[in-house]
Amino acid sequence: MYVFLPSTVPALAALLEEGRLEGAPLTAFAADPGPEGDTEEAEYEAMYAAAEESLALLAADPAAPRRRVVLAANMPDAVVEREGGAADGVVRVRVTAAVPYKKLASAHVDDPAASADVAAAAADPGSGAADDHELMWFAVQELRHLVSGE
């Protein structure tokens, strides 16, 4: 199952160092467009549901750079449990195993210029302060550069 995992820059750095994302069960989001739905639109919504959850992780880690991080991974269905609907076309899931680096498909991260708005959104998630910022896409091979640039 293709899942979107909320994260932070330090957690991404730890994943790159250790070769896997630990802490199972992990909260994630997946597209669930239904038979008439648009899969691409549902994946976009699932990614932003994970970005919202990333704000909570940032609020809990004041030392982390103020950038939302969403990791996209292809995980075996056997380690993904549905928890319930999160939004139209989006389901909240639990990943019950570590996420190996080789299962990552990409990362989606805020531009550093968004940091003030992301900080405001982390402090007050209902503010919508980060809503106008689109996450940037990074290929897996770019992740080390992304983390070292912090």
Side-chain angles (χ1 to χ4, degrees), residues 87-111:
D88 191 31
V90 177
V91 64
R92 178 184 286 266
V93 298
R94 287 176 4 131
V95 178
T96 61
V99 177
Y101 173 81
K102 67 181 182 179
K103 293 293 186 181
L104 289 184
S106 61
H108 307 269
V109 183
D110 278 304
D111 185 283

Side-chain angles (χ1 to χ4, degrees), residues 57-131:
L57 298 175
L58 289 172
D61 184 359
R66 305 286 92 178
R67 296 172 76 180
R68 296 171 296 174
V69 176
V70 175
L71 305 173
N74 286 304
M75 296 299 292
D77 289 347
V79 301
V80 180
E81 298 176 355
R82 296 172 73 95
E83 288 193 320
D88 191 31
V90 177
V91 64
R92 178 184 286 266
V93 298
R94 287 176 4 131
V95 178
T96 61
V99 177
Y101 173 81
K102 67 181 182 179
K103 293 293 186 181
L104 289 184
S106 61
H108 307 269
V109 183
D110 278 304
D111 185 283
S115 64
D117 289 336
V118 172
D124 179 9
S127 70
D131 289 355

Side-chain angles (χ1 to χ4, degrees), residues 8-10 12-13 63-69 109-113 115 136 138 143-150:
T8 63
V9 172
L12 175 58
R66 305 286 92 178
R67 296 172 76 180
R68 296 171 296 174
V69 176
V109 183
D110 278 304
D111 185 283
S115 64
M136 300 182 303
F138 290 88
L143 298 181
R144 292 197 188 282
H145 173 70
L146 173 69
V147 170
S148 68
E150 290 299 327

Side-chain angles (χ1 to χ4, degrees), residues 121-143:
D124 179 9
S127 70
D131 289 355
D132 290 338
H133 297 283
E134 291 286 325
L135 297 176
M136 300 182 303
W137 179 88
F138 290 88
V140 174
Q141 58 269 29
E142 296 175 295
L143 298 181

